[in-house]
């Protein structure tokens, strides 16, 4: 819904039109008796009502529902069930947005989830990325919660609503209509995980819950009781594990590369982009976060060369300035070499979010007597994805003193090992390792190419 509003900018009011979320009360009547008023978003209300009844324990299947009628124009739902609703129900006001309502959070009849197997961290991150890509309403105007259920193959069901509990009710209702078994699946959500969220997930047989934010203490206790792996602060490639860590299959740690420091160059002007490239978002994190996580897994020491260290205060590594201030990438590599504790550095630009660890390892393994190990491609050598030794410091300094800014300007004074395209492409067939972004058009094209925009379609019941 679009609204005419004003924005306060630089001391003055500026008229603008922006989207706002719709808050829609739905009066629910069961077997002719008023039960509750649900505050929700005004779309696909049949899924919301069915899921609400299912997760409150009033129905187990569509066979329990005689009729379900929804009047979206007047915010009214009338449901006829085969069984009578208990008298004198005592509703519990939950911590849900818009005040969630629950009548029954008892887990005594819910069998703990014990045999669902495990999920890899990468599968959790992938499903959370898919959730992020589906939250178009939040991107346009904020204020919307989202949730999704999926498995190792990707996203199965997705829902969004002003209430985070409503998103799970919607998923439960859609699964009921489509005959989809949610036992042993993963649930990812944008909102805080509270006890009632865990209770609802347990009713569905969900094996893992992951949130971009935090769970409550009672939610952790309930997840432990229900056999659910509970994850919080799932952002980029990081997460916290609060219960049943055995359900998360972690990769075997690889040894780190000895004698090499990882160096990230983050001092560019980004003039063609119009904004700092290192801060561009993709896959739920900034470009530089992806670069850092890759290098941190490969090297004992990682350095960011930047003249704006406050931009990266959340990254746990040393930040060092240019020694030759603002003299381009050559000055950045020079500073990284001078500050590194190792004899060699692997240098990567901050706008290369798809670094391939195997390609990086292969370049470092070639570090013998040559001073530079550099991959080449159709457009020439890639000096911002290369290995340099400290023997390069003196010729770099000489070039900088002469006002030379091209990185390859000092190459005639050192030994260079060029890695041809076929060699590194064997490890990275798509060639994403050396992919960097310079303009807004390149950024949007890359994002649209790499990130799925629609969920996987499901047509039959899955166990």
């Amino acid at each position: 819904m679009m609204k005419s509003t004003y924005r306060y900018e630089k001391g003055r009011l500026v008229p603008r039109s922006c989207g706002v979320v719709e808050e829609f009360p739905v009066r629910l009547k069961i077997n002719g008796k008023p039960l509750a008023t649900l505050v929700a978003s005004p779309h696909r209300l049949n899924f919301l009502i069915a899921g609400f009844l299912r997760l409150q324990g009033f129905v187990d299947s569509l066979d329990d529902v005689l009729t379900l009628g929804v009047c979206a124009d007047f915010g009214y739902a009338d449901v006829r069930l085969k069984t009578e609703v208990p008298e004198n129900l005592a509703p519990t006001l939950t911590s849900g947005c818009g005040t969630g309502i629950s009548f029954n959070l008892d887990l005594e009849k819910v069998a703990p989830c014990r045999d669902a197997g495990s999920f890899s961290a990468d599968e959790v991150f992938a499903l959370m990325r898919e959730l992020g890509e589906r939250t178009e309403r939040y991107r346009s105007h904020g204020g919307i919660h989202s949730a999704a259920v999926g498995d190792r193959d990707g996203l199965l069901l997705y829902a969004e609503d002003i209430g985070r509990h409503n998103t799970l009710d919607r998923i439960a209702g859609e699964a009921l209509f489509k005959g989809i078994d949610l036992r042993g699946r993963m649930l990812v959500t944008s909102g805080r995980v509270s006890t009632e969220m865990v209770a609802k997930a347990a009713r569905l047989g969900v094996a893992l819950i992951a949130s971009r934010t935090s769970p409550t203490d009672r939610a952790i206790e309930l997840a432990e009781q229900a056999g659910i792996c509970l994850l919080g602060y799932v952002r980029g490639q990081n997460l916290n594990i609060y219960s049943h860590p055995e359900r998360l299959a972690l990769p075997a740690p690889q040894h780190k590369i000895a004698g090499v420091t990882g160096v990230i160059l983050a001092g560019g002007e980004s003039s063609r982009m119009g904004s700092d490239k290192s801060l561009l978002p993709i896959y739920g994190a900034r470009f530089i976060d992806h670069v850092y996580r890759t290098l941190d897994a490969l090297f004992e020491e990682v350095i960011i060369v930047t003249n704006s260290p406050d931009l990266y205060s959340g990254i746990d590594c040393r930040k060092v300035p240019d020694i030759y201030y603002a003299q381009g990438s050559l000055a950045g590599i020079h500073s990284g070499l001078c500050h590194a504790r190792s004899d060699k550095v692997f240098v990567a630009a901050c706008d290369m979010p798809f670094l391939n660890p195997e390609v990086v390892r292969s370049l470092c393994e070639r570090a013998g007597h040559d001073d530079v190990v550099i991959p080449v491609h159709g457009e020439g050598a890639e000096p911002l994805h290369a290995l340099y030794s400290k023997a390069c410091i003196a010729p770099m300094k000489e070039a900088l003193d002469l006002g030379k800014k091209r990185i390859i300007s000092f190459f005639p004074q050192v030994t260079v090992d060029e890695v041809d395209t076929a060699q590194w492409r064997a490890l990275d067939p798509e060639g994403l390792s050396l992919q960097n972004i310079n303009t807004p058009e390149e950024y949007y094209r890359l994002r649209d190419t790499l990130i799925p925009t629609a969920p996987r379609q499901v047509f039959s019941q899955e166990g």
Side-chain angles (χ1 to χ4, degrees):
M1 177 183 296
M2 301 300 294
K3 289 286 188 181
S4 297
T5 63
Y6 290 90
R7 178 177 175 82
Y8 183 79
E9 290 182 348
K10 299 179 180 179
R12 62 192 183 94
L13 289 178
V14 179
R16 60 178 295 196
S17 179
C18 69
V20 296
V21 298
E22 296 180 64
E23 186 172 339
F24 192 77
V26 182
R27 292 169 295 156
L28 175 60
K29 183 180 290 188
I30 306 295
N31 294 346
K33 299 177 182 178
L35 180 72
T37 297
L38 307 181
V39 180
S41 297
H43 66 281
R44 305 175 82 179
L45 294 173
N46 58 328
F47 290 159
L48 173 66
I49 300 301
F52 176 79
L53 295 175
R54 179 185 184 183
L55 294 178
Q56 299 304 321
F58 297 141
V59 303
D60 292 319
S61 72
L62 288 182
D63 292 337
D64 298 323
V65 182
L66 297 176
T67 62
L68 192 160
V70 178
C71 178
D73 292 334
F74 295 97
Y76 178 78
D78 193 346
V79 181
R80 293 282 175 175
L81 303 179
K82 285 183 176 180
T83 59
E84 289 298 322
V85 175
E87 297 288 343
N88 302 319
L89 284 173
T92 300
L93 298 182
T94 73
S95 57
C97 303
T99 307
I101 299 175
S102 177
F103 293 95
N104 183 8
L105 295 178
D106 189 4
L107 278 182
E108 290 183 1
K109 297 181 180 180
V110 178
C113 184
R114 300 299 186 197
D115 55 355
S118 61
F119 298 94
S120 72
D122 286 342
E123 289 164 348
V124 175
F125 295 137
L127 190 59
M128 187 63 81
R129 286 196 298 268
E130 286 195 69
L131 176 69
E133 288 304 309
R134 293 282 289 167
T135 53
E136 292 300 327
R137 281 190 174 86
Y138 182 85
R139 284 182 179 173
S140 63
H141 46 63
I144 285 284
H145 283 289
S146 57
V149 169
D151 55 21
R152 294 172 180 83
D153 296 322
L155 190 148
L156 286 164
L157 298 172
Y158 169 83
E160 55 187 20
D161 197 284
I162 60 169
R164 54 194 167 88
H165 300 288
N166 291 348
T167 61
L168 188 47
D169 287 350
R170 288 178 181 276
I171 286 173
E174 186 172 359
L176 200 63
F177 273 91
K178 295 183 176 180
I180 300 173
D181 190 348
L182 299 183
R183 288 177 295 180
R185 312 288 192 181
M186 293 184 286
L187 166 68
V188 292
T189 174
S190 63
R192 185 180 69 255
V193 178
S194 52
T195 52
E196 55 271 24
M197 287 285 281
V198 175
K200 290 180 177 183
R203 283 190 175 278
L204 298 173
V206 166
L208 181 148
I209 303 173
S211 171
R212 285 186 56 81
T213 59
S214 63
T216 66
D217 57 345
R218 295 287 302 279
I220 297 170
E221 294 175 9
L222 199 55
E224 186 67 39
Q225 172 191 340
I228 295 174
C229 177
L230 181 56
L231 309 177
Y233 293 106
V234 182
R235 301 176 184 180
Q237 295 294 306
N238 297 319
L239 54 79
N240 294 345
I241 307 173
Y242 296 96
S243 66
H244 292 281
E246 72 277 2
R247 287 206 185 280
L248 196 66
L250 301 178
Q254 287 189 300
H255 70 277
K256 294 196 174 184
I257 302 169
V260 181
T261 292
V263 173
I264 305 171
L265 300 190
E269 296 180 359
S270 304
S271 55
R272 282 186 287 168
M273 179 62 68
S275 61
D276 194 323
K277 292 187 290 186
S278 70
L279 307 180
L280 289 174
I282 198 164
Y283 283 161
R286 303 172 300 179
F287 273 24
I288 195 167
D289 295 319
H290 292 290
V291 177
Y292 170 73
R293 279 192 289 267
T294 300
L295 298 191
D296 183 55
L298 292 170
F299 305 111
E300 293 290 346
E301 179 185 45
V302 179
I303 294 172
I304 298 177
V305 180
T306 175
N307 297 312
S308 304
D310 290 344
L311 290 176
Y312 316 113
S313 58
I315 299 178
D316 186 20
C317 72
R318 277 198 297 153
K319 292 89 179 175
V320 300
D322 289 332
I323 296 173
Y324 285 82
Y325 183 78
Q327 295 300 304
S329 298
L330 178 58
I333 300 172
H334 171 265
S335 179
L337 273 168
C338 291
H339 286 96
R341 300 188 181 102
S342 306
D343 291 332
K344 295 179 172 62
V345 302
F346 175 81
V347 172
C350 64
D351 61 346
M352 290 182 165
F354 307 111
L355 292 178
N356 186 309
E358 296 309 313
V359 174
V360 176
R361 282 186 180 275
S362 70
L363 295 178
C364 293
E365 288 170 358
R366 298 173 67 110
H369 300 293
D370 292 308
D371 301 316
V372 178
V373 180
I374 188 168
V376 295
H377 48 75
E379 299 178 6
E382 184 47 73
L384 297 185
H385 185 288
L387 190 77
Y388 298 89
S389 76
K390 290 211 171 189
C392 299
I393 291 178
M396 283 182 179
K397 183 177 184 301
E398 181 180 337
L400 289 165
D401 286 339
L402 292 174
K404 298 178 180 179
K405 293 186 177 181
R406 292 190 69 198
I407 296 175
I408 63 173
S409 63
F410 76 93
F411 278 18
Q413 297 173 258
V414 297
T415 58
V416 179
D417 175 15
E418 292 189 347
V419 182
D420 64 55
T421 304
Q423 289 177 291
W424 65 264
R425 276 273 195 172
L427 299 171
D428 180 16
E430 295 181 343
L432 294 178
S433 295
L434 276 57
Q435 179 73 63
N436 63 351
I437 309 299
N438 293 306
T439 67
E441 292 75 20
E442 289 177 355
Y443 168 62
Y444 290 120
R445 183 166 59 249
L446 180 71
R447 192 184 67 176
D448 293 342
T449 300
L450 294 176
I451 299 177
T453 56
R456 179 163 56 92
Q457 298 297 312
V458 178
F459 299 100
S460 62
Q461 182 170 342
E462 296 186 23

